[in-house]
C-alpha cells in the first residue's frame, strides 16, 4: 500500500466513525478496523487520536488552500471570483459530511485545544491569500475586504452545513458574485 493511500484510508475511516458514533465513542482500534489497516500504521502517521483529528482538519485546510489558489491576479476580478466561487461551492458539496463534523467538533469544549490551532492556521492562510489577491487586484483596504468576503462565505457554509436542511447552495453563485462585486469594488 502506498504511504499516502494508507493515511487517506485512516482519515476517511475516522471521518465516518466520528460522524456516526461521535469522537469520544470512537477508538483507534475501530478506526483501523474500518480502514482495513494495522494499528501500527496509525502510529506511523499520528501519535494519538487527537493528532488524527488535527490531521483531518489539516487535510481540509490543504483542500481549501487549493480552492484559494484559483484566484489568479492576471485575470479580471470577475473571472477569478467566478472560478473561486465555483471551486468553493464544489468543495462545500463534496466535503459536506466532514465539514459538518468539523463544525460540531469545534464547539466541544473538550476538543477546543485540539482543533483551534489547525483552524486558526486555515483562517490565517485564507485571509493571507485573499488579502494578497485583493491587493494585487488594486482593491482598497484589501485585508478588511478579505475578512468581509470570508465572513460571507463562512455564513453560506454554516447555513448549508448546519442550519437549513434544504439550503439552495446550487443557486447561490449569482448572489455571491454580486456581493463579492460590491465588496471588491475598486474605489475611484
Amino acid at each position: 500500500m502506498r504511504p499516502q493511500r494508507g493515511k487517506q484510508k485512516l482519515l476517511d475511516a475516522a471521518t465516518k466513525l466520528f460522524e456516526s458514533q461521535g469522537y469520544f465513542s470512537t477508538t483507534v482500534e475501530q478506526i483501523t478496523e474500518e480502514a482495513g489497516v494495522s494499528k501500527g500504521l496509525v502510529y506511523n502517521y499520528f501519535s494519538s487520536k487527537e493528532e488524527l483529528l488535527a490531521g483531518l482538519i489539516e487535510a481540509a485546510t490543504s483542500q481549501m488552500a487549493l480552492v484559494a489558489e484559483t484566484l489568479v491576479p492576471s485575470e479580471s476580478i470577475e473571472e477569478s471570483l467566478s472560478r473561486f466561487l465555483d471551486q468553493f461551492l464544489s468543495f462545500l458539496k463534496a466535503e459536506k459530511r466532514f465539514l459538518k463534523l468539523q463544525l460540531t467538533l469545534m464547539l466541544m469544549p473538550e476538543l477546543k485545544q485540539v482543533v483551534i490551532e489547525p483552524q486558526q492556521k486555515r483562517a490565517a492562510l485564507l485571509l493571507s491569500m485573499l488579502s494578497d489577491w485583493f491587493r494585487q487586484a488594486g482593491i482598497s483596504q484589501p485585508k478588511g475586504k478579505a475578512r468581509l468576503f470570508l465572513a460571507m462565505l463562512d455564513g453560506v457554509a454554516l447555513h448549508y452545513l448546519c442550519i437549513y436542511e434544504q439550503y439552495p447552495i446550487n443557486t447561490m453563485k449569482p448572489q455571491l458574485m454580486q456581493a463579492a462585486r460590491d465588496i471588491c469594488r475598486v474605489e475611484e
Side-chain angles (χ1 to χ4, degrees), residues 10-35 42-43 48-50 52-53 56 101 105 108 111:
L10 289 166
L11 294 172
D12 292 343
T15 298
K16 179 180 177 184
L17 292 172
F18 292 165
E19 178 187 43
S20 66
Q21 58 191 45
Y23 174 80
F24 292 107
S25 297
T26 301
T27 65
V28 172
E29 290 81 13
Q30 291 169 321
I31 294 168
T32 59
E33 186 177 316
E34 178 70 29
V42 173
Y43 298 108
S48 65
K49 186 168 81 167
E50 291 81 12
L52 175 59
L53 175 59
L56 283 171
L101 169 67
L105 296 172
M108 293 180 174
L111 294 176

Side-chain angles (χ1 to χ4, degrees), residues 18-160:
F18 292 165
E19 178 187 43
S20 66
Q21 58 191 45
Y23 174 80
F24 292 107
S25 297
T26 301
T27 65
V28 172
E29 290 81 13
Q30 291 169 321
I31 294 168
T32 59
E33 186 177 316
E34 178 70 29
V37 300
S38 70
K39 188 174 178 181
L41 186 63
V42 173
Y43 298 108
N44 283 344
Y45 298 113
F46 309 103
S47 63
S48 65
K49 186 168 81 167
E50 291 81 12
E51 193 175 297
L52 175 59
L53 175 59
L56 283 171
I57 296 168
E58 289 169 6
T61 297
S62 296
Q63 289 178 301
M64 196 61 221
L66 292 174
V67 170
E69 287 176 2
T70 63
L71 293 169
V72 179
S74 61
E75 291 182 329
S76 73
I77 292 172
E78 186 89 10
E79 291 169 327
S80 282
L81 284 174
S82 179
R83 182 175 17 283
F84 175 80
L85 288 173
D86 286 341
Q87 293 293 318
F88 175 77
L89 295 172
S90 292
F91 174 71
L92 286 181
K93 289 187 277 187
E95 298 299 328
K96 184 175 185 176
R97 275 186 43 211
F98 171 72
L99 294 170
K100 194 172 188 175
L101 169 67
Q102 185 177 313
L103 283 171
T104 303
L105 296 172
M106 284 174 48
L107 299 175
M108 293 180 174
E110 306 89 346
L111 294 176
K112 185 175 182 175
Q113 291 307 107
V114 175
V115 298
I116 194 69
E117 186 179 337
Q119 283 290 350
Q120 288 175 337
K121 283 181 183 178
R122 179 189 309 169
L125 173 69
L126 289 173
L127 180 60
S128 175
M129 292 176 88
L130 283 169
S131 295
D132 288 346
W133 181 76
F134 282 8
R135 186 176 302 103
Q136 291 172 10
I139 296 168
S140 66
Q141 304 171 18
K143 191 170 188 175
K145 289 182 179 178
R147 283 185 194 280
L148 183 58
F149 185 66
L150 287 172
M152 177 183 65
L153 295 179
D154 285 345
V156 167
L158 183 63
H159 283 205
Y160 173 65

